[in-house]
Structures are given as structure tokens and as C-alpha cells.
Amino acid sequence: MKNTNNQHWAILLLSFASLTSCSSSSSQDDTTEESGSATVPTVFSSSYKSAVTLSSDGTSVTMKSNGTPDHVTPYWGEGNTLYEAQTTGQTVNPGTLQAQVFVMTIPLNPIAATTKEETSLGPIGMALNGVAIYNDREGGNVPVDAGTLTSFDRAGAHSGPGGLYHYHFNGDFTSDDDAKLIGWLRDGFPIYGRQDTNGTYPSDLDTNGGHIGATAEYPDGIYHYHCSNVNYMNSGFYVLKAGSYYGTKGTFTF
């Protein structure tokens, strides 16, 4: 009788342990599903630098950065290891650049928008090093003028209110006279330098500054932007992006 009771309790304990184990496993599976985590496509993870944190929910990809450049600029301020004097003939806006909290979320499979939305003031994309990309306009929504042009460093960037450093033009650290990938805009389409992969300057860009074709990162072809091939006001700078988005823009908080 004693052995029978012991066997009975052993069976109960094993059953309880089995139920507990199944319950724990189920809870872990639910957590994974609720988190919505997915693998970030290689085209993003192999292109963005380590300063940019990437995540995906399977339909979109999110880039997070502190918005500071990984290269020299006078906007770091004297005493910083990445400080360099401003280019001769140029000036520097007051204040030094400051770390930001940038979060951009874009569609993984962008499509053309039926109605093209004009880009606005503020960040319209994120470069591969996490710095914000701006369009060709300044405060008051007016084109960059001759006076403002003097504030840009050799990266085609300057610092604005709150120390927010950002690119308006191409430069020595993004893309000069080449076909390099610069980053992605808020609508999920990539932006490249002035040249196509074959070393020529595209002549078929639409009014949004882009076209469909193969790139190093998208060998099967994709709509992509190119920075302008027009020397802006004979400054030696070339606008990264003007006009409208080709697709529907995602979010960019800062």
C-alpha cells in the first residue's frame, strides 16, 4: 500500500512539472509574437554604421541615432577631437552641435504614392552615419540663400537651433562626385550621389529627383533618388533633395 501511494504522488509531481514547463514555453512564444521582432534586411544592416540602431517589425524598419557625425567639422567646437577649422571663406553658426534623439521608421517595401507630398522643413531622411538629411530650404521655407551658404562645412552641413547638425548638400563624407549610397529618405527609398553605378550622370530623373534602376545595393532595380548635379549658386555644393517624396513618408521624431 505504501509503494502504491508513493507511485501515485510521483505521477502527480511529474504531471505538475510537465504542465509548468508547457506553460512557461507558451508564455515565451507569446512574448516573441507580441514584440513583433523581425530580422532587419541585410541591405540596411550592412549599410548603416554602428552608431545607428536598427530594428524591424517585418513591414517597416526603424533607425535610431543621436544625430552626431562621425567625421570632422567645425561644429564640434574647439577642444573636441573631431574639431577642424572652418573652410576658408566660410563662417560658423553660433553654438556647437549637440546629440539628438532621432527615430525614423520607413516601409520595407515602399511604393509610389498616388499624390506626391512636398518635403518639409526638418529631417526628411537619415544618412548612413545617423545624421539627418534636410531638403534645400531653410527657416521661412525659403531656398538656401547666398548668406546661408557660407555657414556650411565641407560635409555640406551645418548646425541649427538646439545644435541639430544636418546635411543639405553632398560633401566629403557622404558622396562627392560618385554613385555612393548616402542613406534613406522617409518614404523608404534610398538616395545616392550624383552618378549612376556605370559612372555616368543620370539624364532621366523625374521631378522628384529619382528614377528606377539597378544600384550596388539593389541589383534587381529600385526607385532611388540622386542628389542634384547642378552646382548650387556656383558654391561647389550640390543639393541632396528638393521637391516631393516619390512614396508615402514614414515617421521621423526628434
Side-chain angles (χ1 to χ4, degrees):
M1 187 69 175
K2 184 176 180 180
N3 289 339
T4 301
N5 286 336
N6 287 340
Q7 290 174 355
H8 176 73
W9 281 109
I11 291 171
L12 286 176
L13 287 171
L14 286 171
S15 298
F16 178 76
S18 177
L19 286 171
T20 302
S21 174
C22 290
S23 175
S24 174
S25 175
S26 176
S27 174
Q28 290 173 354
D29 290 343
D30 289 344
T31 300
T32 301
E33 291 173 5
E34 289 173 4
S35 70
S37 61
T39 301
V40 175
T42 304
V43 68
F44 296 103
S45 60
S46 64
S47 299
Y48 272 99
K49 298 184 179 181
S50 60
V52 181
T53 301
L54 302 171
S55 61
S56 176
D57 61 5
T59 60
S60 63
V61 61
T62 296
M63 299 89 166
K64 299 180 180 179
S65 80
N66 68 7
T68 60
D70 57 346
H71 56 71
V72 294
T73 171
Y75 286 100
W76 276 112
E78 293 187 32
N80 189 289
T81 56
L82 289 176
Y83 169 81
E84 74 168 9
Q86 178 64 300
T87 304
T88 302
Q90 295 291 93
T91 60
V92 176
N93 286 339
T96 56
L97 67 84
Q98 302 294 322
Q100 311 292 322
V101 180
F102 286 164
V103 181
M104 183 174 79
T105 299
I106 61 175
L108 280 177
N109 298 297
I111 58 175
T114 303
T115 302
K116 304 296 190 286
E117 179 183 348
E118 285 282 331
T119 56
S120 58
L121 297 177
I124 64 168
M126 186 182 288
L128 300 182
N129 59 359
V131 172
I133 295 172
Y134 276 39
N135 65 12
D136 61 334
R137 294 180 173 265
E138 278 290 322
N141 200 29
V142 296
V144 171
D145 59 22
T148 306
L149 270 173
T150 65
S151 67
F152 290 98
D153 59 17
R154 64 188 179 97
H158 63 183
S159 185
L164 197 160
Y165 184 83
H166 54 279
Y167 300 123
H168 284 270
F169 300 98
N170 71 316
D172 291 349
F173 308 104
T174 51
S175 170
D176 190 4
D177 188 11
D178 53 46
K180 290 180 181 177
L181 174 65
I182 296 170
W184 273 262
L185 297 192
R186 286 177 58 176
D187 60 356
F189 291 107
I191 180 169
Y192 289 83
R194 294 158 54 196
Q195 297 182 13
D196 266 329
T197 54
N198 60 7
T200 64
Y201 301 104
S203 59
D204 61 343
L205 300 182
D206 60 22
T207 56
N208 309 300
H211 63 172
I212 296 174
T215 71
E217 290 73 23
Y218 294 95
D220 294 331
I222 189 175
Y223 181 89
H224 58 280
Y225 301 99
H226 285 275
C227 69
S228 169
N229 196 33
V230 176
N231 187 347
Y232 192 79
M233 298 180 68
N234 294 315
S235 63
F237 291 120
Y238 296 81
V239 170
L240 289 175
K241 174 73 178 90
S244 301
Y245 295 105
Y246 181 73
T248 302
K249 75 176 190 291
T251 60
F252 196 124
T253 60
F254 62 103

